[in-house]
Amino acid sequence: MTAPPARPRVHRRALPGVDPRIFALRVPDEVDAFVVRTERFVALIDTLATPELCEQALDLIADEAAGRPLLVVNTHADWDHVWGNAAVEGRAPVIGHRSATARAGSAEALGTLRDKRAADDRFARVRLVAPTVTFDTSLTLDGGDLTLELLHTPGHTPDHVAVWIPELRVCLAGDAAEDPLPELWEGDASSLARLTASLDQLRALAPDHVLPSHGGTTDPALLDRNLRYFASLTGRYADAVRAGGPEFEAVFPDTAELSDRARAFYRACHHKAVRAAASLLTGPAEQPPR
Ligand SMILES: [Zn+2]
């Protein structure tokens, strides 16, 4: 008989060099949620993958939340970021991009939930809960001492939101930036253009700290590294990308420190990015001869 897999747990983590009003709630090898404590409210950025994990997160921030209203932000409606929403339903406004509402309850999300439940009973209590407060381009939350500027930054997903805290020059990048590389929504030219525009937008803010939801880094150079990676696919390695072939493997970032599972995931992301770059380089479908 094999033992059931250990249930993942949430760990509260201070972020080296970052103001202690911001900290991570980490589920190892899965995702980081973040907490921003302001004078006027406590913001929970993402609710993790299940209501149980989100309840653990709420227990870990009970001191911060005492006497302050709780606001919840959804960076995007992917399972690892927002399937804990049921734990805060009715307790806090859930803020997200307008297009997250449709994604949260989509046929695709229901299919993912069915598959995840079949594979692991920790998803049994998940309910798909959409944001209750939505916006289109940006939304400012004024916490008194700190401001949270929510920025629509699509490309990883259409509904993606990053958070900029100007007083501390902190960027909570969600999955728009990722170490070693962010995943594109589709392997097409428009996803590539959207994500690189979002990365450019975040880089133009000149953050001192960039906190992605995966990878556990705070390095502001992550934005440049991600941008250089995509630029290399359409620049330096354009010929190899156009040709298909194994040469474009040279562009794949170093993943020696990652688990086999993570490496396989990022390899799939890389192949999607190469497809997107190839479609950008070769343009839309061939024009018929005149
Ligand atoms: Zn994610």
Side-chain angles (χ1 to χ4, degrees), residues 241-254:
V241 166
R242 257 192 223 99
E247 293 87 342
F248 62 72
E249 290 300 314
V251 200
F252 189 55
D254 180 18

Side-chain angles (χ1 to χ4, degrees), residues 30-32 46 75-76 78-81 156 174-175 178 183 213-214 265:
E30 190 159 281
V31 74
D32 285 359
D46 284 345
T75 60
H76 60 298
D78 280 359
W79 66 273
D80 47 333
H81 297 261
H156 171 68
D175 287 2
E178 190 159 333
E183 182 181 17
S213 301
H214 303 280
F265 170 76

Side-chain angles (χ1 to χ4, degrees), residues 264-278:
F265 170 76
Y266 287 116
R267 190 160 285 281
C269 295
H270 174 59
H271 288 165
K272 202 194 266 190
V274 168
R275 281 203 310 281

Side-chain angles (χ1 to χ4, degrees), residues 77 82-83 99-106 109-110 128-131:
V82 304
W83 277 9
S99 63
T101 305
R103 276 199 75 215
S106 64
L110 285 164
L128 302 176
V129 175

Side-chain angles (χ1 to χ4, degrees), residues 106-130:
S106 64
E108 195 191 353
L110 285 164
T112 306
L113 179 56
R114 200 171 46 237
D115 294 347
K116 293 259 171 216
R117 277 192 183 144
D120 190 337
D121 67 3
R122 75 185 175 107
F123 295 101
R125 276 186 54 212
V126 170
R127 277 189 303 109
L128 302 176
V129 175

